[in-house]
Amino acid sequence: MSHFRWKRTIAMALVALQCAAVMPVASALEQREMNDAAQVQTFESQSVDGYQSSMDGQDLSGTEQTGNNETTEGEATNGETVDPNVDGSTDPAQPSDGTSGDPNATDGSTIENPGTTVPKSAEHNIDTTIYGSDVLVILANSNVIVHNNVTHYSKEPITVKNGVSYISVRGLVDRFGFQLDFDNTTKETIIRQGDRELRYKAKSDVYQVNGELTKMSGASYLQNNTFMVPLTSALQAMQMKYKWEQHTKRIIVQMSAAPVAKFKVTPEHIFAGQTEVVVENQSFHPRGLQIIDYEWTGLESFYSEAGQYVISLRVLDEKGVWSEPYSVTINVQPPNMPPVVDFSTNKSQYKMGELIEYSNESYDDEDAIDKVEWTNNKQAFFTPGEQQVTLKVTDKHGLSAEITKSVTITNETLYTFDEFNKIYTQVGHVYPLDGSSILGMKEILPQLRHGQRTLYRSNSPESIVQDGILYKDHIAGGTRILLHHKNAKPTDIKLYVVVKNVSNEDAVVRVERAGTAGPSLHPQQTGKAAAQRYFQSFREHGIISEQTLKPKQSALLMPEMSNRAIKPQQVFTMYADFLGDNNLEYKIIALDASKDIWKELPNLQILPSDGTHIRGSFNNADRTLTVSELVGEESSRIVIGDNKSDKKIGGWDTTSNKDVDNAGNYGVLYRVVLDRVAPNTLIGVNARGGQYSGSILVNGQEVGLPINGILKNKDEATPIYRTGDREEKVEIWFTPAAASNMPVNIFMTQLPPKRT
């Protein structure tokens, strides 16, 4: 036999063998589908949760996985990054396949006989009716999707990867009727249907379902320029019933769904005959169909009798399918009674300048008075006649009651307006006075003693317009840093205090006391709050932090401050005391919030001064003012921060090598020691430079200057202490508040004698 004839004989034998094998395979396929029809339960008989036999985590690799599974995640096959909003396209407006830029268009894949029924002799002969009506069947590791006996072909196959089945976003959109969009700001692919919105990001195993982050069984990725996501993530989020058939490697999805009735009843408390019941209709269709009719049962605008009532709703979709009823049980309470309002005073009539004590005697049947409003309930009146005082109370349900009573003021005077305010204005509150009366008081010149602490004041440039070093200097020993800056950049910034051991030995640095405030749009607010917190840290009597630095080692101080991003136009203020046992360099740095401080630090330059505000190093930043003589019997005052009686501290700006003066002595800590204060003495603060809002420490107790609001001008004062009927020693700690005006006067004056 020739070589040619031998080869021909072998080929004929193979053909015969193949023909003999065809008929049993086809018969087996038909038999398997008949068995499937008997085994698979209908969708109507199972709940969503019961039906969803999860495909994720199972071995779906009954057939060979395609070579596409090896595509590097996040990269196209040509090595270019691909925008995941349009499969096979690098530009959502101009897809590379030449189709429309509409994100709802097809993905450019070839569809054989789209929308036509596959004949019985076709390669993928799947009768979807065995699973019920309106069913979609997906073949794992295949690009075949059959919907109601109509076969479609997706560009990329349903891919199994690490036991998780993936489908292209386009496959979800085209076959499931979802809506597709892309958010250029967040770089998220968005799928919507009905009341559901899903958001995916490439290379992430987390997606959002109506704004809530949800974990997926696998991370989304790009495969041949096609954005692939776990199939079950979308099916579960869209509340689609599905099933995995292991023996056929099929995913069976029920496409049809009934509308869902849902509503919310408000308000929470409903009273018979009084409360109008409002329902917020929250019904929806899982597939986005329109709801065309509503059937309410048990709903009334007002319920005349107390008791429990059931409200139910059914809704009808455009295909004539009714939802299951949704019901809410409401509890209608008996009619709500308004509160009973009343008040009394400790007397029926008063002298001018006599303290009036008001007692609120209102009550409510539920003990639920939510709001109390007084009108004209002054502590005292200074003109004779009848004064009308009104009290209004409102319960938590909005019902209110109001009462007005007369208070009689006689022609006699107990205290003048000024006397009354000195006696009865609460500590930390504001009362009016004649500002010139303060200047008429005797000025006391206390004994001055300096403390060895160096102040670094960082206030220039106050408005930060670029990254850089705001101030730097080095010292061994006690240091105080006052920084007060505004972000004038268009982006967020962060402020840092970096310390470096510039000695040749180990150094220990401590944060002894600190107060920070901001970010805020209100400079006076941050100045006041930072001073308050600084004084509060004195009361805690503990070291905030301590660390050891090796020679030439740098570290971050106050890291909690640096964690706060300062938005454009916001202000940040800090007072902090540090102590180092060796030579340390301190740098105050402003840096874009997106940058790393340690990477940027070597390249940062010193920012120029703005020429208006102050920065520099100032020695002797602690001042003790001692008054040994008796004060209070005669009205007197101590002036702080006027640059005359209390001279300003001179210093040196190391960044510009210039002499500087700390006008107002901001950042200086004053300890005012009054060894002898007469009985019945009022100690107060009067702002002389303009508006002031800060804090002060009196005998260890922090007092707001003032507690609420500000001292607007020289004609207002705040009491900070009153002595009793014995002589006392009083110690006052004060530091000028950033963004407020200096000077201030601390005054001592006798209280008026008590009268009855």
Side-chain angles (χ1 to χ4, degrees):
M1 183 181 295
S2 69
H3 180 67
F4 173 80
R5 188 174 298 173
W6 177 80
K7 289 177 66 178
R8 181 180 179 185
T9 303
I10 294 297
M12 292 176 65
L14 289 172
V15 170
L17 182 60
Q18 290 173 351
C19 292
V22 168
M23 292 304 295
V25 170
S27 176
L29 178 60
E30 293 176 358
Q31 182 61 42
R32 186 173 66 182
E33 291 181 351
M34 293 174 61
N35 292 339
D36 291 345
Q39 293 175 2
V40 178
Q41 298 181 16
T42 63
F43 287 87
E44 290 77 4
S45 64
Q46 304 184 51
S47 67
V48 173
D49 293 336
Y51 199 89
Q52 289 177 180
S53 302
S54 176
M55 297 169 287
D56 297 345
Q58 298 189 33
D59 180 11
L60 309 186
S61 55
T63 58
E64 288 284 335
Q65 293 194 21
T66 66
N68 293 332
N69 292 344
E70 303 304 320
T71 302
T72 303
E73 295 185 11
E75 294 183 358
T77 54
N78 61 2
E80 295 181 355
T81 301
V82 179
D83 189 336
N85 72 321
V86 177
D87 298 341
S89 170
T90 57
D91 185 346
Q94 298 176 346
S96 57
D97 59 6
T99 61
S100 163
D102 182 359
N104 295 315
T106 60
D107 56 11
S109 59
T110 301
I111 300 179
E112 300 178 4
N113 298 323
T116 60
T117 302
V118 179
K120 291 289 184 180
S121 59
E123 179 184 357
H124 302 291
N125 181 21
I126 299 176
D127 181 7
T128 61
T129 60
I130 64 174
Y131 301 110
S133 61
D134 199 10
V135 174
L136 185 146
V137 176
I138 304 171
L139 274 64
N141 290 319
S142 168
N143 63 348
V144 174
I145 301 176
V146 183
H147 184 201
N148 293 343
N149 289 348
V150 178
T151 300
H152 305 268
Y153 297 89
S154 63
K155 180 178 180 181
E156 288 295 317
I158 308 302
T159 304
V160 178
K161 188 172 184 179
N162 298 326
V164 179
S165 54
Y166 288 85
I167 189 172
S168 73
V169 168
R170 281 294 178 189
L172 286 172
V173 171
D174 294 340
R175 299 282 69 83
F176 291 87
F178 299 161
Q179 295 175 332
L180 179 63
D181 200 357
F182 185 75
D183 190 328
N184 280 303
T185 302
T186 61
K187 306 303 179 186
E188 292 173 316
T189 297
I190 306 170
I191 298 175
R192 297 185 181 93
Q193 187 187 65
D195 69 334
R196 300 274 165 164
E197 178 187 89
L198 315 184
R199 287 177 173 257
Y200 294 90
K201 275 190 176 181
K203 296 186 179 181
S204 175
D205 63 354
V206 174
Y207 72 138
Q208 291 188 49
V209 180
N210 288 349
E212 293 187 9
L213 294 177
T214 306
K215 184 84 169 176
M216 298 189 293
S217 54
S220 56
Y221 65 97
L222 290 174
Q223 175 173 288
N224 292 339
N225 294 355
T226 302
F227 190 36
M228 307 289 288
V229 298
L231 173 60
T232 54
S233 68
L235 296 182
Q236 291 172 354
M238 295 298 187
Q239 298 180 328
M240 286 187 164
K241 303 175 185 178
Y242 64 88
K243 184 181 181 71
W244 165 250
E245 270 192 354
Q246 177 67 33
H247 61 286
T248 63
K249 308 301 180 190
R250 296 176 183 176
I251 303 158
I252 303 126
V253 184
Q254 173 61 276
M255 298 294 289
S256 64
V260 178
K262 188 178 181 182
F263 62 90
K264 179 182 178 182
V265 178
T266 56
E268 179 183 0
H269 299 282
I270 301 173
F271 297 94
Q274 294 177 329
T275 308
E276 182 179 4
V277 176
V278 178
V279 290
E280 178 187 343
N281 194 339
Q282 301 172 333
S283 303
F284 64 94
H285 200 291
R287 304 296 179 263
L289 299 182
Q290 290 187 358
I291 295 175
I292 61 174
D293 198 6
Y294 303 87
E295 182 182 87
W296 291 95
T297 304
L299 175 61
E300 298 180 24
S301 297
F302 292 88
Y303 293 84
S304 59
E305 300 293 336
Q308 287 192 336
Y309 295 85
V310 178
I311 303 174
S312 297
L313 172 64
R314 287 200 314 155
V315 296
L316 179 70
D317 69 18
E318 61 185 85
K319 290 188 175 181
V321 178
W322 282 98
S323 70
E324 291 295 321
Y326 178 83
S327 299
V328 172
T329 300
I330 62 173
N331 181 34
V332 178
Q333 304 175 44
N336 177 39
M337 302 301 294
V340 176
V341 61
D342 196 14
F343 73 91
S344 63
T345 55
N346 58 321
K347 294 173 63 177
S348 59
Q349 63 179 25
Y350 298 87
K351 297 178 181 180
M352 288 183 289
E354 184 176 357
L355 180 68
I356 303 173
E357 297 177 6
Y358 300 92
S359 297
N360 185 352
E361 299 173 352
S362 306
Y363 63 90
D364 182 68
D365 58 342
E366 296 179 296
D367 195 22
I369 292 179
D370 192 53
K371 190 175 183 181
V372 176
E373 299 171 275
W374 289 93
T375 303
N376 202 36
N377 63 325
K378 295 179 180 180
Q379 286 186 292
F381 294 95
F382 298 91
T383 56
E386 296 295 315
Q387 296 290 339
Q388 304 300 309
V389 180
T390 300
L391 173 62
K392 180 181 178 181
V393 294
T394 306
D395 70 13
K396 65 180 181 180
H397 307 297
L399 291 184
S400 61
E402 183 178 299
I403 190 172
T404 298
K405 291 186 176 182
S406 295
V407 176
T408 302
I409 309 300
T410 69
N411 290 321
E412 297 178 272
T413 297
L414 185 64
Y415 293 110
T416 65
F417 180 74
D418 183 63
E419 290 173 333
F420 182 89
N421 285 323
K422 287 179 179 178
I423 297 172
Y424 291 110
T425 301
Q426 297 179 30
V427 168
H429 290 251
V430 178
Y431 73 90
L433 51 67
D434 179 1
S436 63
S437 66
I438 300 296
L439 296 181
M441 296 179 179
K442 173 186 175 182
E443 182 179 349
I444 298 175
L445 298 177
Q447 179 183 355
L448 173 63
R449 188 176 75 252
H450 294 290
Q452 294 301 315
R453 185 176 293 272
T454 299
L455 167 68
Y456 295 157
R457 180 175 174 184
S458 179
N459 191 206
S460 182
E462 185 178 76
S463 295
I464 298 169
V465 296
Q466 63 186 102
D467 294 347
I469 299 170
L470 297 166
Y471 192 68
K472 71 172 186 177
D473 198 357
H474 59 83
I475 191 175
T479 305
R480 176 175 304 118
I481 294 179
L482 164 60
L483 65 83
H484 179 78
H485 292 284
K486 175 181 179 180
N487 179 16
K489 293 180 62 178
T491 58
D492 293 359
I493 66 168
K494 289 183 178 180
L495 294 175
Y496 300 87
V497 176
V498 176
V499 62
K500 181 179 180 180
N501 180 6
V502 294
S503 71
N504 295 320
E505 299 177 353
D506 287 358
V508 176
V509 59
R510 294 175 176 174
V511 181
E512 297 180 305
R513 294 167 289 272
T516 63
S520 169
L521 294 173
H522 308 288
Q524 277 193 333
Q525 184 182 75
T526 67
K528 176 180 180 178
Q532 286 179 318
R533 293 163 187 167
Y534 175 66
F535 282 135
Q536 289 167 4
S537 71
F538 275 86
R539 298 179 59 192
E540 294 169 0
H541 303 295
I543 302 300
I544 295 176
S545 67
E546 178 179 294
Q547 53 187 314
T548 300
L549 303 178
K550 298 294 183 183
K552 313 310 177 187
Q553 180 185 355
S554 295
L556 198 63
L557 298 175
M558 306 288 293
E560 64 280 1
M561 174 192 76
S562 303
N563 289 334
R564 306 176 198 170
I566 305 171
K567 297 185 180 299
Q569 303 305 309
Q570 289 185 332
V571 177
F572 193 89
T573 306
M574 180 193 79
Y575 295 85
D577 289 346
F578 306 98
L579 181 64
D581 66 355
N582 219 321
N583 205 11
L584 301 174
E585 179 187 64
Y586 297 87
K587 286 183 180 178
I588 303 163
I589 294 166
L591 188 63
D592 192 282
S594 64
K595 296 180 181 178
D596 182 272
I597 178 63
W598 301 115
K599 290 181 180 179
E600 302 294 332
L601 183 58
N603 304 316
L604 294 177
Q605 302 298 314
I606 296 173
L607 298 180
S609 169
D610 60 21
T612 301
H613 300 89
I614 298 171
R615 69 179 177 190
S617 302
F618 305 91
N619 292 325
N620 302 324
D622 287 350
R623 286 188 167 182
T624 300
L625 308 179
T626 303
V627 180
S628 300
E629 62 191 86
L630 180 67
V631 297
E633 286 187 338
E634 178 186 2
S635 295
S636 58
R637 62 191 173 104
I638 298 173
V639 181
I640 295 180
D642 68 339
N643 303 324
K644 295 178 182 178
S645 298
D646 180 38
K647 298 187 180 300
K648 57 190 175 184
I649 297 179
W652 181 259
D653 183 353
T654 62
T655 63
S656 63
N657 295 321
K658 293 181 179 179
D659 290 328
V660 289
D661 290 326
N662 187 7
N665 283 345
Y666 292 87
V668 173
L669 177 62
Y670 291 86
R671 293 176 173 88
V672 181
V673 180
L674 305 176
D675 284 333
R676 301 178 59 203
V677 182
N680 303 313
T681 296
L682 167 68
I683 304 176
V685 173
N686 173 234
R688 305 301 303 182
Q691 292 185 351
Y692 193 90
S693 181
S695 180
I696 199 166
L697 207 64
V698 184
N699 288 348
Q701 300 296 315
E702 188 270 328
V703 178
L705 287 179
I707 292 174
N708 298 309
I710 61 174
L711 288 166
K712 294 189 290 291
N713 52 52
K714 60 182 177 59
D715 293 322
E716 291 185 340
T718 295
I720 61 172
Y721 192 76
R722 292 182 178 94
T723 59
D725 57 4
R726 295 183 180 181
E727 184 179 304
E728 299 181 31
K729 178 179 180 178
V730 178
E731 186 165 331
I732 301 168
W733 291 17
F734 172 79
T735 189
S740 285
N741 298 292
M742 295 294 286
V744 299
N745 281 195
I746 298 175
F747 64 88
M748 292 73 64
T749 188
Q750 270 290 293
L751 291 168
K754 293 183 179 179
R755 305 178 186 127
T756 60

